Amino acid sequence: DLWDPKVRLFSLIQVKPGEEVEYHTHIGESETFFFLSGRGIYNDNGTKVDIVPGMVSFTPSGQGHSVKNTGTEELTFIALIVVD
Protein backbone atom coordinates (compact mmCIF):
# COMPACT_ATOMS: atom_id res chain seq x y z
CA ASP A 1 0.00 0.00 0.00
CA LEU A 2 1.51 3.34 -1.06
CA TRP A 3 -0.67 5.43 1.25
CA ASP A 4 0.73 6.18 4.71
CA PRO A 5 -1.73 7.83 7.13
CA LYS A 6 1.19 9.41 9.02
CA VAL A 7 2.20 11.53 6.01
CA ARG A 8 -0.04 14.59 6.09
CA LEU A 9 1.77 16.59 3.40
CA PHE A 10 4.44 15.92 0.78
CA SER A 11 4.49 18.83 -1.63
CA LEU A 12 6.53 21.16 -3.80
CA ILE A 13 6.23 24.71 -2.43
CA GLN A 14 7.07 27.87 -4.40
CA VAL A 15 7.33 31.23 -2.64
CA LYS A 16 7.49 34.36 -4.80
CA PRO A 17 10.06 37.12 -4.13
CA GLY A 18 9.08 39.19 -1.10
CA GLU A 19 6.49 36.65 0.09
CA GLU A 20 6.72 34.28 3.04
CA VAL A 21 5.35 31.26 4.84
CA GLU A 22 4.48 32.95 8.13
CA TYR A 23 5.80 31.73 11.46
CA HIS A 24 3.81 28.80 12.83
CA THR A 25 4.20 26.03 15.40
CA HIS A 26 3.73 22.31 14.79
CA ILE A 27 1.91 20.30 17.45
CA GLY A 28 1.66 16.52 17.11
CA GLU A 29 3.63 16.52 13.86
CA SER A 30 7.04 17.37 12.41
CA GLU A 31 7.95 19.18 9.20
CA THR A 32 11.03 18.81 7.01
CA PHE A 33 11.99 21.18 4.19
CA PHE A 34 14.47 20.45 1.39
CA PHE A 35 15.37 23.68 -0.42
CA LEU A 36 15.83 23.27 -4.17
CA SER A 37 16.38 26.79 -5.52
CA GLY A 38 16.25 30.45 -4.62
CA ARG A 39 17.40 32.44 -1.61
CA GLY A 40 15.76 33.48 1.62
CA ILE A 41 15.73 33.48 5.40
CA TYR A 42 14.66 30.48 7.48
CA ASN A 43 13.47 31.29 11.02
CA ASP A 44 13.99 28.32 13.34
CA ASN A 45 12.37 29.29 16.66
CA GLY A 46 13.82 32.79 16.44
CA THR A 47 17.22 31.79 15.02
CA LYS A 48 17.48 33.11 11.47
CA VAL A 49 19.54 31.25 8.88
CA ASP A 50 20.27 32.11 5.24
CA ILE A 51 18.63 29.60 2.89
CA VAL A 52 20.77 28.10 0.14
CA PRO A 53 19.86 25.34 -2.32
CA GLY A 54 20.52 21.88 -0.86
CA MET A 55 19.76 22.98 2.72
CA VAL A 56 17.50 20.74 4.84
CA SER A 57 15.53 21.90 7.88
CA PHE A 58 13.63 19.89 10.47
CA THR A 59 10.97 21.22 12.83
CA PRO A 60 9.81 18.74 15.50
CA SER A 61 6.50 18.84 17.32
CA GLY A 62 6.29 21.79 19.70
CA GLN A 63 8.67 23.93 17.66
CA GLY A 64 8.04 26.67 15.10
CA HIS A 65 9.46 28.09 11.89
CA SER A 66 8.93 30.42 8.95
CA VAL A 67 10.43 31.01 5.50
CA LYS A 68 10.84 34.33 3.69
CA ASN A 69 11.97 34.76 0.10
CA THR A 70 14.53 37.57 0.08
CA GLY A 71 15.79 36.84 -3.42
CA THR A 72 14.75 37.86 -6.92
CA GLU A 73 13.51 34.44 -8.08
CA GLU A 74 11.05 31.92 -6.67
CA LEU A 75 12.18 30.07 -3.55
CA THR A 76 11.37 26.42 -4.20
CA PHE A 77 11.39 23.59 -1.67
CA ILE A 78 9.84 20.25 -0.84
CA ALA A 79 7.83 20.07 2.40
CA LEU A 80 7.09 16.85 4.30
CA ILE A 81 4.77 16.80 7.33
CA VAL A 82 4.64 13.58 9.34
CA VAL A 83 2.16 13.04 12.17
CA ASP A 84 3.73 11.81 15.44
Side-chain angles (χ1 to χ4, degrees), residues 24 31 33 38 49 53 60 62 66 74-75:
H24 59 281
E31 186 165 32
F33 291 158
V49 178
S66 66
E74 281 192 334
L75 175 62

Side-chain angles (χ1 to χ4, degrees), residues 24-45:
H24 59 281
T25 302
H26 289 271
I27 304 297
E29 63 187 18
S30 63
E31 186 165 32
T32 301
F33 291 158
F34 176 64
F35 293 93
L36 299 168
S37 64
R39 300 286 176 174
I41 300 292
Y42 179 77
N43 179 345
D44 180 13
N45 290 291

Side-chain angles (χ1 to χ4, degrees), residues 6-33:
K6 293 191 122 214
V7 175
R8 189 168 73 78
L9 174 81
F10 185 64
S11 185
L12 181 68
I13 309 293
Q14 295 173 306
V15 181
K16 294 179 182 175
E19 293 185 357
E20 65 184 297
V21 175
E22 293 186 7
Y23 190 87
H24 59 281
T25 302
H26 289 271
I27 304 297
E29 63 187 18
S30 63
E31 186 165 32
T32 301
F33 291 158

Side-chain angles (χ1 to χ4, degrees), residues 40-67:
I41 300 292
Y42 179 77
N43 179 345
D44 180 13
N45 290 291
T47 300
K48 295 183 179 177
V49 178
D50 290 328
I51 295 169
V52 295
M55 179 180 149
V56 176
S57 69
F58 177 73
T59 304
S61 180
Q63 302 295 309
H65 62 165
S66 66
V67 172

